[in-house]
Amino acid sequence: EEYGTFDHVERLRYLEIKPTSAEKVEIELLRELLASKVPGIQEFISEERYLMLKGKLMYNAYGIKTHKSEDSHLIKENAGETMRAEATPATGAGFYRVASYLTHSCEPNTEITFPKDNHKLSLVAISSIKAGDQLRVSYIPVGDRDVNNRRSELEAKWKFRCMCQKCVSEESVPSETDDERNWVDEDVEGESSNEVAA
């Protein structure tokens, strides 16, 4: 039995999207576009299914950078942010099955690049990786940002609180607001259904 794209999509994490008038318009446009080509599309594209698939693509899409710049490192982007943010060097967004399983770390051992100036993604080791090591990529630019700044962006875009070694070693005494928030911790050292190992 072949393990296909939809089998991968079923396993992906996703953003929970609340329906708005914009999504209702998108659903109707999609139905109209595909109606003459795909029998039964009207019934298949329910609001619930559309929002779930859109949330999975938004959570797992990578910004595609096809123009060379000083920073060849490409970060994982929320597809909506990638397409709307004018400051980003990304020229589009793409869903890559294997890359969608990469775990975030503020101390990544790999990075995403597009070396041939096209849509073909390459995963490049940026530190030593042994057989069995978990492959990690940074979803955000890390630079000299402090732990609270990094966590804030990750929580806003991907709905998790980073618990990588870098963040844990830099964190200070938890504030009252930390205790009140409903965090989803992502522990890069622990087991996860969404991970890729060397």
Side-chain angles (χ1 to χ4, degrees):
E1 247 182 81
E2 189 174 319
Y3 191 75
T5 298
F6 282 104
D7 297 309
H8 284 284
V9 170
E10 286 295 316
R11 296 183 61 191
L12 295 175
R13 293 179 179 181
Y14 63 97
L15 296 173
E16 201 168 306
I17 300 174
K18 303 292 183 207
T20 67
S21 58
E23 275 77 26
K24 292 179 192 289
V25 169
E26 291 170 5
I27 292 168
E28 285 310 310
L29 288 171
L30 191 58
R31 286 176 175 164
E32 287 176 30
L33 177 69
L34 299 175
S36 65
K37 305 289 183 195
V38 183
I41 197 70
Q42 296 288 342
E43 296 79 30
F44 179 77
I45 302 180
S46 66
E47 182 178 274
E48 180 183 357
R49 184 173 285 138
Y50 177 79
L51 294 174
M52 185 263 308
L53 289 172
K54 183 176 180 178
K56 287 186 178 208
L57 289 173
M58 288 178 71
Y59 193 95
N60 294 284
Y62 280 83
I64 299 171
K65 183 166 64 170
T66 58
H67 302 297
K68 299 191 184 323
S69 74
E70 292 176 21
D71 181 12
S72 63
H73 174 77
L74 192 74
I75 52 178
K76 184 172 182 176
E77 286 286 354
N78 171 309
E81 295 290 325
T82 300
M83 300 308 286
R84 289 192 288 263
E86 293 179 23
T88 182
T91 58
F95 172 71
Y96 299 89
R97 289 192 303 187
V98 174
S100 66
Y101 292 103
L102 294 172
T103 299
H104 166 78
S105 174
C106 294
E107 288 185 309
N109 56 9
T110 65
E111 71 179 1
I112 301 293
T113 64
F114 294 88
K116 297 195 182 214
D117 203 27
N118 61 22
H119 67 280
K120 293 183 180 175
L121 178 144
S122 292
L123 184 64
V124 179
I126 57 174
S127 65
S128 183
I129 302 172
K130 295 181 240 170
D133 283 354
Q134 186 176 13
L135 301 180
R136 301 179 311 272
V137 67
S138 180
Y139 293 1
I140 60 171
V142 175
D144 59 356
R145 298 167 70 186
D146 69 36
V147 63
N148 294 325
N149 185 284
R150 295 190 312 265
R151 281 181 171 169
S152 178
E153 183 174 356
L154 289 164
E155 200 278 329
K157 289 184 179 178
W158 288 280
K159 311 297 184 222
F160 71 86
R161 183 176 193 209
C162 184
M163 297 299 291
C164 72
Q165 288 179 346
K166 182 176 180 75
C167 286
V168 170
S169 68
E170 290 178 15
E171 77 185 331
S172 58
V173 178
S175 68
E176 291 178 26
T177 55
D178 284 344
D179 294 334
E180 295 168 5
R181 291 186 182 168
N182 194 8
W183 293 108
V184 175
D185 289 344
E186 178 157 306
D187 180 1
V188 298
E189 304 304 323
E191 292 184 22
S192 169
S193 62
N194 286 353
E195 63 183 44
V196 178

